[in-house]
């Protein structure tokens, strides 16, 4: 039997990056021998075996606050390291598939030697890099660097054998800039039902508490300051009100200080770290509302926080700021509020607290909307894309190939 080998490359931390971890696991379950090359966070081993997936961590870290030059240096350093590692391993192991996850888009170059020697390169465009740069550094769409990044994005798609991306809005953006629609497939980030198992009944039922929850990287653009201000406005109006924030990030010190200034320290709990998945699932099982307060901008209007699928899978009603991707994906199945408006968020939360039937209706509607987006369905789409790319009819449970743009089985798209 011929061993099918794959190498997955991501300039981030794995398994913290759940999209990468799930893709690698899906490949392993489909019979691939899988290597992952990624960054190494403090305390992580240089090499780790997670089930059938081998992780090789490069001794580099992402550092906040380095400016555009800092990002360029980080990207260049990892590109060089990944290119050398992928090439050396391919010469020994002969990968059939090299999967590159952006950012940066030019990381696709790490797969060129294996491609020249017969491997196929799949580019996972997890972000829109021109919009990321414009938003991160406050420049307009006509800025020379933004224009350059648009060119590099399109070249990266052309260099790869195929591309996937997590939202239909992002796919439309790439196609709108010139990408061949047949070369870009949407594969969404639906929650894994084997991990996110909702409780038989909410553990807060009858306890007199009303818990809001948010999890993931704690950065300013996620708008948690809006949630804190809203909690301050609702103090005394919602009995047992509590906000739990699980994760770490550069905005955590500012949020702690804000909680002190708003005199709501007793109502807010910060984990201050990324907690193990079982602990997070347990916390979601104790919560009443999942809150997303993302600040809309050209970058985040086409992206969708994967945590929304975690909330839905765990049976939580979702309250979210209005972004294009959220509205087009979930519509009326989530409760929307105006971004950066703590008063509007407070009114939405107060109304939901007073109306349990409305909360239950939101949960049911979001489950129905997200059903085709669940990971078991997206996993089949992903493996079908890989099988078609490799011309591999024996690709396990990949199913029949799915057309590149087919992601709207609900009449709406995703992330």
């Amino acid at each position: 039997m011929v061993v099918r080998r794959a190498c997955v490359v991501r300039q981030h931390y794995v398994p913290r990056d759940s999209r990468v971890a799930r893709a690698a696991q899906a490949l392993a379950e489909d019979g691939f021998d899988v290597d992952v090359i990624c960054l190494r966070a403090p305390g992580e081993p240089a090499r780790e075996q997670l089930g059938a997936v081998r992780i090789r961590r490069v001794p580099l870290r992402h550092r906040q606050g380095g400016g555009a030059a800092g990002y360029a240096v980080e990207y260049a350093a990892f590109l060089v390291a990944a290119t050398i590692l992928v090439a050396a391993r391919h010469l020994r192991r002969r990968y059939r598939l090299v999967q590159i996850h952006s950012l940066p888009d030019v990381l696709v170059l790490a797969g060129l030697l294996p491609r020249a020697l017969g491997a196929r390169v799949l580019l996972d465009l997890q972000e829109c890099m021109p919009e990321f740069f414009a938003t991160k550094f406050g420049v307009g769409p006509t800025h020379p660097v933004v224009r350059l990044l648009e060119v590099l994005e399109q070249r990266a798609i052309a260099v790869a054998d195929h591309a996937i991306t997590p939202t239909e809005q992002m796919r439309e953006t790439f196609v709108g800039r010139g990408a061949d629609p047949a070369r870009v497939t949407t594969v969404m980030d639906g929650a894994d039902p084997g991990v996110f198992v909702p409780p038989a009944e909410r553990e807060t039922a009858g306890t007199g508490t009303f818990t809001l929850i948010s999890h993931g990287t704690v950065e300013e653009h996620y708008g948690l300051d809006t949630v804190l201000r809203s909690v301050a406005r609702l103090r005394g109006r919602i009995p047992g009100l509590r906000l739990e924030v699980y994760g770490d990030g550069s905005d955590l010190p500012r949020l702690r200080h804000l909680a002190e200034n708003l005199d709501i320290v007793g109502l807010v709990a910060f984990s201050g770290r990324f907690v193990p998945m079982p602990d997070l699932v347990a916390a979601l099982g104790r919560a009443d509302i999942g809150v997303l307060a993302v600040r809309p901008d050209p970058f985040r209007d086409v992206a969708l926080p994967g945590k929304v699928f975690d909330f839905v899978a765990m049976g939580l009603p979702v309250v979210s700021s209005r972004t294009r991707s959220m509205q087009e994906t979930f519509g009326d199945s989530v409760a929307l509020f105006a971004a950066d408006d703590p008063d509007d968020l407070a009114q939405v939360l107060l109304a939901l607290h007073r109306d349990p039937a409305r909360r239950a209706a939101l949960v049911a509607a979001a489950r129905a909307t997200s059903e085709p987006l669940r990971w078991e369905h997206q996993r089949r789409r992903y493996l079908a894309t890989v099988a078609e790319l490799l011309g591999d009819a024996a690709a396990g449970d990949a199913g029949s190939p799915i057309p590149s743009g087919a992601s709207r089985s609900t009449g709406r798209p995703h992330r």
Side-chain angles (χ1 to χ4, degrees), residues 5-9 86 90 95-100 110-112 114-115 119-123 389:
R5 295 188 173 93
C7 184
V8 179
V9 183
V86 172
H90 179 74
Y95 296 121
R96 288 198 64 197
L97 175 72
V98 176
Q99 181 165 314
I100 307 290
L112 287 190
R115 187 174 188 271
R120 293 291 178 265
V121 174
L122 179 63
L123 175 62
L389 179 62

Side-chain angles (χ1 to χ4, degrees), residues 288-354:
D288 296 281
I289 299 280
V291 182
L292 294 163
V294 174
R295 293 186 165 92
D297 53 46
F299 175 56
R300 291 171 188 90
D301 261 347
V302 297
L304 190 67
K307 68 190 78 174
V308 65
F309 293 101
D310 304 344
F311 293 153
V312 174
M314 291 298 295
L316 285 170
V318 179
V319 175
S320 172
S321 54
R322 289 185 182 88
T323 64
R324 176 191 162 200
S325 57
M326 185 65 72
Q327 288 180 288
E328 292 183 359
T329 304
F330 283 97
D332 295 335
S333 64
V334 301
L336 298 171
F337 68 93
D340 288 325
D341 189 338
D343 292 313
D344 193 26
L345 173 56
Q347 290 303 314
V348 170
L349 292 171
L350 186 61
L352 287 176
H353 174 260
R354 293 171 174 172

Side-chain angles (χ1 to χ4, degrees), residues 202-261:
R202 299 241 65 85
E203 297 179 29
T204 52
T207 65
T209 61
F210 192 72
T211 303
L212 317 177
I213 193 166
S214 177
H215 65 285
T217 307
V218 182
E219 300 294 341
E220 184 176 358
H221 54 256
Y222 288 119
L224 284 170
D225 56 329
T226 300
V227 185
L228 291 179
R229 296 180 195 282
S230 185
V231 167
R233 285 158 171 75
L234 292 170
R235 180 177 41 202
R237 302 176 69 187
I238 296 182
L241 178 64
R242 179 177 175 81
L243 170 64
E244 296 182 355
V245 178
Y246 291 87
D248 193 8
S250 65
D251 203 35
L252 191 57
R254 184 179 73 95
L255 293 175
R256 290 186 190 275
H257 185 64
L258 179 60
E260 292 176 1
N261 288 343

Side-chain angles (χ1 to χ4, degrees), residues 79-319:
L79 173 59
V80 171
T83 299
I84 293 171
L85 279 172
V86 172
R89 286 175 172 241
H90 179 74
L91 292 175
R92 294 197 310 269
R93 299 172 57 77
R94 294 292 173 171
Y95 296 121
R96 288 198 64 197
L97 175 72
V98 176
Q99 181 165 314
I100 307 290
H101 291 253
S102 70
L103 300 172
D105 300 337
V106 296
L107 190 55
V108 73
L109 297 176
L112 287 190
L113 177 63
R115 187 174 188 271
L117 296 176
R120 293 291 178 265
V121 174
L122 179 63
L123 175 62
D124 189 342
L125 293 158
Q126 289 192 216
E127 330 264 5
C128 290
M129 192 163 181
E131 284 77 8
F132 168 80
F133 181 89
T135 299
K136 181 75 176 177
F137 299 106
V139 300
T142 60
H143 189 279
V145 175
V146 175
R147 293 295 197 197
L148 173 61
L149 292 174
E150 290 176 352
V151 172
L152 293 176
E153 166 200 281
Q154 292 299 309
R155 294 286 176 85
I157 295 172
V159 164
D161 293 290
H162 197 74
I164 58 176
T165 194
T167 74
E168 185 64 17
Q169 291 80 11
M170 291 172 68
R171 179 177 180 274
E172 290 170 357
T173 299
F174 301 136
V175 171
R177 286 200 276 255
D180 181 351
R183 292 174 56 82
V184 186
T185 299
T186 303
V187 177
M188 303 183 183
D189 283 343
D192 187 343
V195 174
F196 293 93
V197 181
E201 60 180 284
R202 299 241 65 85
E203 297 179 29
T204 52
T207 65
T209 61
F210 192 72
T211 303
L212 317 177
I213 193 166
S214 177
H215 65 285
T217 307
V218 182
E219 300 294 341
E220 184 176 358
H221 54 256
Y222 288 119
L224 284 170
D225 56 329
T226 300
V227 185
L228 291 179
R229 296 180 195 282
S230 185
V231 167
R233 285 158 171 75
L234 292 170
R235 180 177 41 202
R237 302 176 69 187
I238 296 182
L241 178 64
R242 179 177 175 81
L243 170 64
E244 296 182 355
V245 178
Y246 291 87
D248 193 8
S250 65
D251 203 35
L252 191 57
R254 184 179 73 95
L255 293 175
R256 290 186 190 275
H257 185 64
L258 179 60
E260 292 176 1
N261 288 343
L262 294 172
D263 195 23
I264 56 170
V265 172
L267 304 182
V268 183
F270 298 98
S271 72
R273 61 187 178 89
F274 291 95
V275 300
M277 188 59 71
D279 294 345
L280 175 60
V281 172
L284 290 168
R286 296 189 299 266
D288 296 281
I289 299 280
V291 182
L292 294 163
V294 174
R295 293 186 165 92
D297 53 46
F299 175 56
R300 291 171 188 90
D301 261 347
V302 297
L304 190 67
K307 68 190 78 174
V308 65
F309 293 101
D310 304 344
F311 293 153
V312 174
M314 291 298 295
L316 285 170
V318 179
V319 175

